[in-house]
Amino acid sequence: MGSIRFMHMPTPIGVLTLAADDDGLRRIDFPPPRTPPAGEDWTEGDSEVLRETRCQLEDYFAGERRDFDLPLSPDGTEFQREVWLTLAHIPYGETWSYRDLAQRIGRPSATRAVGAANGRNPLPIVLPCHRVIGADGSLTGFGGGLPTKAFLLRLEGALPGGTGPLFQA
């Protein structure tokens, strides 16, 4: 594995840490910045992938982008990567339950495993794990915290006015 470059990006939800290698975007970390994983060579710097990620995220937060077109290089098991890449199929402004996501990957009885993989998504927002909610419509755990999840869903119009079943934490 080559060197991983990272940069910090201020956003309405706090300073995100973006990390990429030669193959693509590897991580987006919520604040506070995390230390690089053991055994990985991280260098603060810039790259074409990081610049494009920053540009697309700025457009997203400005309400001008609904989908992302970036080279992705998430590190995970085959099952995790399948779940993570399927997240990209959840339309902007819509939500799926964990059961919906499990059915979409052809494993309807793997709801808990899908939930665990979703919780380990290294590319939140770009692979929109915030769009996955409980079967009863409630907000459920999110690496960036439930207020951040609610903010992102409101930004996309999936949480109108902050009321209703989606707002129940």
Side-chain angles (χ1 to χ4, degrees):
M1 172 188 348
S3 177
I4 297 173
R5 294 199 181 272
F6 73 95
M7 69 168 36
H8 300 291
M9 175 187 176
T11 72
I13 57 173
V15 177
L16 299 178
T17 301
L18 313 178
D21 62 15
D22 292 338
D23 294 325
L25 187 64
R26 288 182 60 90
R27 292 174 60 133
I28 297 174
D29 288 337
F30 291 108
R34 297 186 182 140
T35 58
E40 291 188 4
D41 178 24
W42 283 40
T43 305
E44 189 162 7
D46 201 357
S47 73
E48 187 175 331
V49 171
L50 292 174
R51 284 189 300 275
E52 185 59 26
T53 301
R54 182 183 190 118
C55 181
Q56 290 189 28
L57 283 169
E58 287 171 346
D59 289 348
Y60 170 81
F61 284 115
E64 299 168 359
R65 175 173 290 277
R66 293 173 171 238
D67 299 300
F68 294 89
D69 183 21
L70 297 164
L72 305 179
S73 182
D75 186 28
T77 67
E78 184 177 331
F79 176 77
Q80 288 172 328
R81 286 191 305 270
E82 180 181 17
V83 171
W84 299 336
L85 294 176
T86 303
L87 293 169
H89 298 285
I90 305 173
Y92 181 96
E94 295 183 22
T95 58
W96 288 0
S97 69
Y98 293 98
R99 183 177 351 174
D100 295 334
L101 187 53
Q103 289 173 342
R104 183 59 71 113
I105 67 166
R107 295 180 142 190
S109 63
T111 302
R112 288 180 192 232
V114 162
N118 192 60
R120 291 184 183 92
N121 176 15
L123 297 171
I125 305 171
V126 170
L127 297 177
C129 53
H130 63 277
R131 296 180 189 156
V132 181
I133 60 172
D136 63 356
S138 62
L139 293 185
T140 55
F142 184 63
L146 292 180
T148 298
K149 184 172 187 164
F151 176 90
L152 296 171
L153 291 172
R154 271 193 218 96
L155 176 70
E156 297 180 4
L159 191 62
T163 61
L166 284 178
F167 197 65
Q168 310 287 318

